[in-house]
Amino acid sequence: MITAKAALHNLRAIWAEVSDENRLNGSRWYVEAHLYCVALSEKYNQPLESVVGCLAVLSPNCSWKVNKECTEEILRIGSCSGNVYPDNIKKAQSILNYGMDPYVVMSKSKRYGNKVRAFYDNILSPKFSERVTVDTHATRAAFDNLDLTIKHITWIFGSAKGYNTVASAYQSLAKELGLRPCEVQAAIWLTVKDKMDNGR
């Protein structure tokens, strides 16, 4: 589908379009997500790893706003009425209600497992994580194509090769820039989101 070299070329191009505001917000994004989870952990007396695990398993095809709302709803009442996949609600419940290890639960996520585990790691350790959360916006940037096909999505989320190819391109760009991979991914994610919200 695409080589790491070609993906890196596309990422360099979109990085040149990233505004100062998105660069700043990207540098803060995962740190703020971490602090959000710390606050929830303290409020509901749950281990931080469990809260982050819940947030991560609920995240596929879920807006950040709904992701947070559903996580807090499960912490508060044990269930969630948000617009998220029912199977992911069950995974979150198994972490929060039954104390299962988040990594064990996340290993059951076949289609989005790589993304979920990276998202978990980025939020749990934003200042040290080297993993890359490759979601649909991150994929759009790597392919330089806002209109992803089923083939694109299947290659990224259905194969380790596809996911790792794009993740390695983000890691290479981060090394060039002297930034953490999650900071670069977050800034590019915000830029692509702006393009999508503004009709390109």
Side-chain angles (χ1 to χ4, degrees), residues 108-122:
K108 299 176 183 179
S109 300
K110 294 180 180 179
R111 185 174 179 83
Y112 295 104
N114 289 316
K115 182 262 181 184
V116 168
R117 286 188 289 273
F119 197 49
Y120 173 83
D121 197 59
N122 288 163

Side-chain angles (χ1 to χ4, degrees), residues 54 73 173:
C54 174
E73 191 173 2
L173 180 59

Side-chain angles (χ1 to χ4, degrees), residues 69-90:
E69 289 173 350
C70 197
T71 297
E72 185 153 11
E73 191 173 2
I74 290 177
L75 282 162
R76 189 174 67 253
I77 63 174
S79 188
C80 167
S81 57
N83 186 24
V84 297
Y85 293 134
D87 283 349
N88 291 342
I89 293 174
K90 292 178 182 177

Side-chain angles (χ1 to χ4, degrees), residues 160-180:
K161 179 181 179 180
Y163 190 97
N164 291 335
T165 296
V166 171
S168 68
Y170 276 91
Q171 289 164 340
S172 295
L173 180 59
K175 187 175 181 180
E176 290 178 8
L177 298 170
L179 299 172
R180 303 214 65 76

Side-chain angles (χ1 to χ4, degrees), residues 3-180:
T3 64
K5 183 177 180 180
L8 176 57
H9 172 80
N10 292 336
L11 293 178
R12 286 191 187 117
I14 196 166
W15 183 260
E17 301 178 28
V18 176
S19 67
D20 290 342
E21 180 182 9
N22 281 343
R23 291 188 190 197
L24 179 61
N25 290 338
S27 72
R28 296 172 173 172
W29 202 94
Y30 283 103
V31 172
E32 290 177 354
H34 175 85
L35 294 175
Y36 172 76
C37 289
V38 168
L40 290 182
S41 171
E42 294 172 351
K43 181 177 180 179
Y44 293 101
N45 195 29
Q46 285 277 1
L48 178 60
E49 292 81 1
S50 297
V51 174
V52 178
C54 174
L55 189 79
V57 297
L58 291 171
S59 68
N61 283 339
C62 179
S63 73
W64 181 231
K65 180 177 182 291
V66 172
N67 196 175
K68 291 190 293 183
E69 289 173 350
C70 197
T71 297
E72 185 153 11
E73 191 173 2
I74 290 177
L75 282 162
R76 189 174 67 253
I77 63 174
S79 188
C80 167
S81 57
N83 186 24
V84 297
Y85 293 134
D87 283 349
N88 291 342
I89 293 174
K90 292 178 182 177
K91 290 172 187 174
Q93 290 171 328
S94 69
I95 294 170
L96 292 174
N97 298 352
Y98 304 106
M100 288 188 65
D101 185 319
Y103 262 110
V104 172
V105 175
M106 288 184 287
S107 69
K108 299 176 183 179
S109 300
K110 294 180 180 179
R111 185 174 179 83
Y112 295 104
N114 289 316
K115 182 262 181 184
V116 168
R117 286 188 289 273
F119 197 49
Y120 173 83
D121 197 59
N122 288 163
I123 294 175
L124 189 64
S125 304
K127 295 183 179 179
F128 302 100
S129 177
E130 292 294 329
R131 301 184 79 161
V132 181
T133 299
V134 180
D135 65 357
T136 52
H137 282 353
T139 302
R140 288 182 173 104
F143 278 96
D144 188 26
N145 190 341
L146 297 183
D147 298 314
L148 295 180
T149 66
I150 295 299
K151 192 173 182 180
H152 289 131
I153 292 171
T154 300
W155 190 68
I156 293 295
F157 299 114
S159 74
K161 179 181 179 180
Y163 190 97
N164 291 335
T165 296
V166 171
S168 68
Y170 276 91
Q171 289 164 340
S172 295
L173 180 59
K175 187 175 181 180
E176 290 178 8
L177 298 170
L179 299 172
R180 303 214 65 76

